[in-house]
Amino acid sequence: MPSMLGKRAVSSFISLMVLIVLVFFLSRLTGDPAALYLPVDASEEMRQNFREIHGLNDPVLVQFGHYVADLVHFDFGDSIRKARPALEVVLESFVWTLQLALITMTLVTAAAIVLGSLAAFHVGSWLDRAASLLSLIGASAPDFWIAIVGIVLFSVSLGWLPTSGTGSVWHWILPIAVLFIRPFGLILQVVRGSMITAFGSAYVKTARAKGVRNRPIIFVHTLRNAMLPVITVIGDQAAALLNGAVVVETIFGFPGVGKLMIDSILQRDFNVILAAIMVTALAIFVMNLLIDIAYALLDPRIRT
């Protein structure tokens, strides 16, 4: 297992470095921050001073060299917009995104495993058909469309839920519901298929022949062996959730890292863009590492 984790760490580090290079140079193509933050009638001297303060007067390659040198000392630079350390700004927003992702994925995993297992156990029943329909709808409906329908129905028409903010538990319901639907549909599909295959295996038939009850067959004998493909999909969907909550956070005004990235791109806040991408990439790396460890614990062949 250590060699497997080592290879994963090296490949993730290389991917992160490539990402930093791409984002650094692409962000410089968005324009001069001085034109955005200074008045239209600002003198050339004021513009030069602004660029000097933020290290933008040097050639781009020199700026990149300085950025990497600072990065070695965990210095991510300051936010132009907020005049605070970029990492501090990103971590404040990342906590919101992390809470949103953890709550959503916990609910998704529990609901998909229970409903998928029951649908597989009763193949062809109304429950199975309902689960397949839910899975199809969830996997195909785009997030922005679900968000708009949710706002129109539950906020505008019924007035039950707020459309933005984070002041109470009611503010969390619509963002979580929108983020819930797509991964739920995909994971439910995989759980159902994997459990149907497991139910047809010899050890399950033997357990049934010995008179073992249905609940132990589902949750003790079958579920563990059926979880390998499910864990992979859960990991992919969790990573997609961390990386792709941009639309939902923007629509609902949720102060997460996705919304921060969009605001920072529009405001040409280069250091915050880079810090947000690095923190998100690091979180995805840690999550993939945990998925690999869980995978290895469930399947001893992977440890070798």
Side-chain angles (χ1 to χ4, degrees):
M1 189 189 296
S3 64
M4 181 193 73
L5 298 181
K7 288 177 185 173
R8 168 71 76 177
V10 170
S11 64
S12 298
F13 179 77
I14 293 171
S15 302
L16 183 60
M17 292 301 105
V18 172
L19 192 63
I20 289 172
V21 173
L22 285 175
V23 174
F24 184 91
F25 288 102
L26 288 175
S27 66
R28 262 56 182 179
L29 296 177
T30 58
D32 182 6
L36 197 65
Y37 288 90
L38 295 181
V40 178
D41 58 351
S43 65
E44 184 56 31
E45 185 182 356
M46 290 173 67
R47 294 177 189 277
Q48 288 296 329
N49 284 338
F50 179 89
R51 295 191 190 105
E52 187 65 34
I53 290 169
H54 297 287
L56 300 172
N57 269 337
D58 297 324
V60 178
L61 282 175
V62 175
Q63 291 179 36
F64 182 68
H66 290 159
Y67 186 80
V68 173
D70 291 339
L71 204 58
V72 173
H73 300 95
F74 297 101
D75 182 359
F76 291 75
D78 291 339
S79 163
I80 298 176
R81 189 161 54 111
K82 299 195 174 183
R84 293 166 52 203
L87 184 60
E88 189 179 299
V89 173
V90 170
L91 289 179
E92 280 178 5
S93 297
F94 187 73
V95 169
W96 288 103
T97 299
L98 193 60
Q99 292 179 71
L100 192 63
L102 280 176
I103 294 171
T104 304
M105 283 311 296
T106 302
L107 295 174
V108 165
T109 304
I113 287 177
V114 171
L115 187 56
S117 301
L118 292 174
F121 193 76
H122 300 285
V123 175
S125 68
W126 68 267
L127 179 65
D128 182 33
R129 288 194 290 273
S132 297
L133 182 63
L134 281 176
S135 170
L136 183 64
I137 293 172
S140 56
D143 289 346
F144 72 90
W145 182 80
I146 299 169
I148 292 170
V149 170
I151 289 172
V152 170
L153 183 61
F154 295 104
S155 300
V156 178
S157 300
L158 299 173
W160 290 352
L161 299 171
T163 55
S164 64
T166 55
S168 70
V169 68
W170 302 106
H171 290 87
W172 290 70
I173 293 177
L174 275 178
I176 289 175
V178 174
L179 289 173
F180 177 95
I181 293 175
R182 178 180 290 274
F184 173 72
L186 293 170
I187 295 171
L188 173 62
Q189 228 168 35
V190 176
V191 170
R192 178 182 175 276
S194 187
M195 290 292 279
I196 287 175
T197 303
F199 281 137
S201 59
Y203 64 89
V204 172
K205 292 176 181 174
T206 304
R208 280 178 168 156
K210 289 181 178 178
V212 178
R213 294 182 179 179
N214 290 337
R215 189 173 297 177
I217 285 178
I218 295 175
F219 295 106
V220 177
H221 294 273
T222 312
L223 193 56
R224 174 173 175 158
N225 293 313
M227 280 303 287
L228 285 176
V230 178
I231 285 176
T232 305
V233 179
I234 290 173
D236 290 343
Q237 291 305 305
L241 201 68
L242 273 179
N243 212 21
V246 177
V247 174
V248 172
E249 289 180 357
T250 303
I251 290 175
F252 291 105
F254 198 84
V257 74
K259 184 175 184 300
L260 179 67
M261 278 190 206
I262 295 294
D263 293 343
S264 300
I265 291 169
L266 294 175
Q267 298 292 324
R268 297 171 193 164
D269 201 347
F270 300 147
N271 289 334
V272 174
I273 298 171
L274 282 158
I277 287 172
M278 278 189 277
V279 168
T280 305
L282 188 62
I284 291 173
F285 162 69
V286 171
M287 191 178 56
N288 284 332
L289 203 61
L290 293 175
I291 295 293
D292 285 343
I293 292 171
Y295 217 90
L297 291 174
L298 285 173
D299 188 350
R301 292 170 298 177
I302 299 174
R303 300 175 204 167
T304 58

